[in-house]
Amino acid sequence: SEETKRQRRKKKIKKGTNLENIEKDMVDYNQVYSALVSAVHTDNRIREQSTAYLIQVEKQSGFAEVLLKLSNSSDVNDASKGAVIALKNFVNKNWSAANAISDAEKKTLRDNIYESILNSEDTMIRSQLLVVLGAIAKTDFPQGWQELVPKIKNTLGGDNVQQIIRALQAVKELAGLYKRELTGPAKKPLIYLASELYPGILSFHTQVKEVISVEAATIEALICQIYYNTIYLDPCREFLTEEATLQWMIVLKEVLDRPIDQAAYAVPANELEEENFERNIWWVMKKAAARTVFRIFQKYVYPKPSGKDLTNYRDRFITNFAPGFSDSVTTNLFKRNGNFVGKKLSTYLLRYISLSVNKETTQAAVLPHFPKLISDVVLPILYISPEDQRLWSEEPAEYVRRLRNSQDDQNDLKTNAVELIYEICKFRKEVQKGRSKTVVKSKNYEYLAHFVDHLISLLNKYQEDVNGGKNPDVRVKEAILRVLCQLQDLISRVPEVVAKIEPLFETHVFGEFQSTIGFLRARACITYGSLGVMEWKSQEH
């Protein structure tokens, strides 16, 4: 019977919540359940009827409570997944609207949403419940939700690792509410949250920093993500003190340096496997730390901020932490040689170095690593992948389209590898003339000239191998020609470098117009289109 079914579903509601006694006459639990199941039916008519019912019933008292109750079901199905999405949409739409949700129903949701997050075993449902928590907190926290922080603090003080992780996820969600707010009244809830919870959160790093486990990596990642949300746009004075800066920089540095599960370095067999490896929690953890360090540099170091507090924060970072971070960044990048290292992590590491090159105070720490970075990291990143080779053979037009799109993507790994080379080559060494204290920039683009010479030597070695009957890796030549294209505007400024381009074409480019390797033939044409516009001695080309 329907009553028996209702009782069975009621028993599936997780313990730890106070939702078992929802009055049936407020909103019919079973009808909502059936409508949510039918909302994904293959029959359009049935879907439309279910949707119309849900739109109508959301105006009744108790609708949100029923959705939360369904979300808490231990039987994860279409109804529970549909319920949590409907709850998220309902709260986002109505929580701040006048009289849309009764005070009693709001109290029920506030009293139960955090416990629902702690008890949810399904990742998708929990992620949606976290959004609901954030939507409620945006309006009610902290004055109208004074019970929340003590609940979180109690969880963090316990010994249930999974619930500690979920509590940290809740803190991350709360901190994220204020990441784009400017310092002032809008930041006060974040200051309260930090003062109550951050000392305890920092202590978790000390406990797990040498532990090799998925749970330890997850906790470390969440700690970094919480700080990222905290300092993203405009950190309050409380986060800029010398003590606070030292504590968080130590955490970020140690996360970048910490050992990880060696299995995470295994080289994927194909692109699909690589995508799965990218989601490995160890790379998520490292990426969270690298992204935060990059954000600090990007926002508060380059360019120079205004205000005494931010200036002091910047100076402490440059003097005390930037050299150490530079070592950590290059160490992680060098591990790409023969190993898998997450693409997203590598992207933030490359972007950090690109910014470091622009600042004299931070350049010295990465300058000695440039030759090895170029040969062992940057050029291999630019190698055309097996998937790209397949795409070129089967759908060359799609390959070209993707190539052009990736060049506009700031988060594309290859784009950032090229950007790093560009930043290195455009640097002009500062020199002091005579006894004057005036410092002027040299106009010889010293690094550009050396780098182009290095590329030419690599091309010569490639041609020697071809002439000697060897089979050199054609990806190396394609990557070198790609780099030369990206440096076109810099090369055109230096006559002595331009003079080297014409013989380079005669020896290494023109011959590839007849290459049987499609992507190399295409790259030769692109290179000619980019560099062939320069003024050459011979006009026969």
Side-chain angles (χ1 to χ4, degrees):
S1 67
E2 286 298 319
E3 179 62 23
T4 302
K5 291 179 181 178
R6 187 182 73 82
Q7 291 297 329
R8 287 177 179 173
R9 285 197 288 268
K10 188 173 180 180
K11 289 180 181 179
K12 291 180 180 179
I13 305 301
K14 292 184 177 66
K15 296 180 180 179
T17 62
N18 298 315
L19 299 172
E20 290 85 353
N21 299 316
I22 292 178
E23 295 295 331
K24 183 180 177 181
D25 58 358
M26 296 170 64
V27 173
D28 193 303
Y29 177 93
N30 293 313
Q31 287 187 7
V32 173
Y33 178 92
S34 298
L36 289 167
V37 172
S38 300
V40 293
H41 200 279
T42 55
D43 190 315
N44 287 338
R45 184 181 59 83
I46 294 176
R47 286 204 309 272
E48 290 172 358
Q49 290 176 348
S50 300
T51 302
Y53 169 77
L54 292 171
I55 292 174
Q56 179 183 9
V57 79
E58 75 173 19
K59 301 174 184 178
Q60 298 181 22
S61 176
F63 179 65
E65 296 177 33
V66 168
L67 293 178
L68 184 58
K69 183 177 180 182
L70 285 165
S71 302
N72 283 327
S73 173
S74 59
D75 182 14
V76 179
N77 52 31
D78 289 340
S80 57
K81 291 180 179 179
V84 74
I85 293 173
L87 177 64
K88 176 192 70 175
N89 295 336
F90 179 78
V91 170
N92 279 330
K93 176 183 175 182
N94 297 296
W95 195 265
S96 300
N99 303 319
I101 307 176
S102 69
D103 291 341
E105 190 168 8
K106 284 185 174 182
K107 184 178 186 304
T108 300
L109 289 180
R110 283 194 300 265
D111 288 347
N112 290 279
I113 187 66
Y114 177 68
E115 286 75 10
S116 297
I117 292 169
L118 290 184
N119 294 314
S120 176
E121 299 296 333
D122 185 81
T123 302
M124 176 268 176
I125 290 178
R126 188 166 60 251
S127 68
Q128 298 298 314
L129 291 173
L130 285 164
V131 176
V132 174
L133 179 140
I136 296 172
K138 188 66 176 176
T139 300
D140 294 5
F141 182 78
Q143 288 83 1
W145 202 356
Q146 298 180 9
E147 306 86 2
L148 180 58
V149 166
K151 285 182 177 181
I152 296 175
K153 187 181 291 188
N154 183 61
T155 306
L156 295 176
D159 56 5
N160 186 319
V161 176
Q162 291 303 321
Q163 291 202 346
I164 288 173
I165 289 173
R166 293 163 193 173
L168 290 173
Q169 290 172 334
V171 177
K172 172 192 168 186
E173 181 71 28
L174 292 171
L177 297 176
Y178 313 101
K179 66 185 287 187
R180 299 183 186 275
E181 300 287 355
L182 298 177
T183 297
K187 283 276 193 182
K188 287 185 178 180
L190 180 60
I191 296 173
Y192 166 67
L193 186 77
S195 64
E196 292 292 322
L197 299 178
Y198 284 18
I201 290 173
L202 282 167
S203 69
F204 282 116
H205 167 70
T206 305
Q207 299 174 36
V208 303
K209 65 181 181 181
E210 295 181 0
V211 178
I212 305 297
S213 71
V214 170
E215 292 78 12
T218 304
I219 289 172
E220 295 273 54
L222 286 166
I223 292 172
C224 295
Q225 291 163 352
I226 288 169
Y227 189 59
Y228 177 84
N229 285 345
T230 302
I231 56 90
Y232 178 80
L233 182 62
D234 189 17
C236 306
R237 183 175 299 176
E238 288 78 0
F239 306 123
L240 301 177
T241 64
E242 187 171 356
E243 180 183 3
T245 302
L246 177 63
Q247 290 176 327
W248 285 101
M249 293 306 112
I250 288 175
V251 170
L252 295 172
K253 178 79 166 62
E254 291 183 345
V255 172
L256 283 174
D257 293 343
R258 67 160 290 163
I260 67 173
D261 186 348
Q262 292 300 303
Y265 289 116
V267 178
N270 51 54
E271 195 172 76
L272 179 61
E273 192 171 62
E274 182 176 342
E275 291 177 2
N276 292 331
F277 283 18
E278 188 73 32
R279 292 188 287 269
N280 187 307
I281 187 58
W282 293 106
W283 301 125
V284 172
M285 176 197 74
K286 293 272 189 177
K287 185 208 76 174
R291 182 179 69 157
T292 306
V293 173
F294 168 73
R295 181 59 183 175
I296 293 170
F297 205 128
Q298 178 192 49
K299 179 65 179 175
Y300 307 110
V301 179
Y302 182 76
K304 185 177 181 180
S306 60
K308 181 178 178 181
D309 292 327
L310 284 176
T311 299
N312 290 338
Y313 179 78
R314 170 187 181 271
D315 292 343
R316 283 196 297 271
F317 182 87
I318 290 175
T319 303
N320 301 326
F321 308 113
F325 280 128
S326 296
D327 289 340
S328 300
V329 166
T330 52
T331 298
N332 277 279
L333 283 173
F334 288 145
K335 288 180 181 177
R336 290 183 60 90
N337 192 1
N339 300 305
F340 175 80
V341 173
K343 278 188 176 181
K344 294 180 180 179
L345 166 63
S346 300
T347 296
Y348 282 111
L349 298 176
L350 289 174
R351 294 178 74 181
Y352 178 89
I353 295 178
S354 293
L355 286 181
S356 299
V357 174
N358 284 287
K359 304 299 293 181
E360 184 179 3
T361 49
T362 54
Q363 185 190 93
V366 296
L367 193 60
H369 300 293
F370 284 169
K372 187 174 174 62
L373 274 172
I374 297 301
S375 61
D376 292 4
V377 178
V378 176
L379 285 179
I381 286 174
L382 296 177
Y383 291 169
I384 186 171
S385 68
E387 174 62 22
D388 287 338
Q389 293 183 52
R390 181 200 63 77
L391 189 63
W392 172 262
S393 300
E394 298 176 3
E395 300 179 70
E398 176 64 13
Y399 169 81
V400 173
R401 186 192 68 80
R402 287 192 188 183
L403 179 65
R404 292 190 177 277
N405 288 345
S406 67
Q407 292 173 352
D408 298 326
D409 184 0
Q410 289 187 340
N411 294 316
D412 180 71
L413 180 59
K414 290 187 176 182
T415 299
N416 281 281
V418 172
E419 181 66 23
L420 173 58
I421 293 176
Y422 187 89
E423 292 297 329
I424 293 171
C425 290
K426 83 173 185 180
F427 173 73
R428 294 184 290 177
K429 188 175 182 181
E430 293 185 341
V431 296
Q432 185 171 323
K433 285 193 174 181
R435 297 182 179 179
S436 170
K437 293 183 179 179
T438 303
V439 175
V440 297
K441 286 189 174 181
S442 166
K443 303 206 174 169
N444 59 6
Y445 287 92
E446 177 183 352
Y447 292 105
L448 173 65
H450 287 322
F451 183 65
V452 171
D453 286 342
H454 176 62
L455 294 182
I456 292 173
S457 69
L458 292 177
L459 288 173
N460 290 337
K461 176 64 169 62
Y462 177 92
Q463 193 60 43
E464 288 173 8
D465 289 344
V466 171
N467 296 338
K470 298 179 181 179
N471 293 314
D473 191 342
V474 296
R475 298 177 305 163
V476 175
K477 184 168 187 176
E478 196 271 344
I480 294 170
L481 296 181
R482 174 174 180 168
V483 172
L484 286 169
C485 290
Q486 299 299 318
L487 296 177
Q488 184 270 337
D489 71 314
L490 294 180
I491 291 173
S492 64
R493 303 175 195 178
V494 189
E496 56 267 33
V497 178
V498 172
K500 299 175 182 179
I501 297 300
E502 185 173 355
L504 180 150
F505 266 77
E506 293 173 352
T507 306
H508 302 292
V509 178
F510 290 145
E512 300 299 349
F513 288 167
Q514 287 77 42
S515 174
T516 58
I517 302 171
F519 67 83
L520 188 56
R521 186 170 66 251
R523 177 58 65 187
C525 294
I526 294 171
T527 305
Y528 179 70
S530 176
L531 298 174
V533 297
M534 297 177 181
E535 191 169 333
W536 292 2
K537 292 180 179 179
S538 172
Q539 298 302 315
E540 295 181 1
H541 65 90

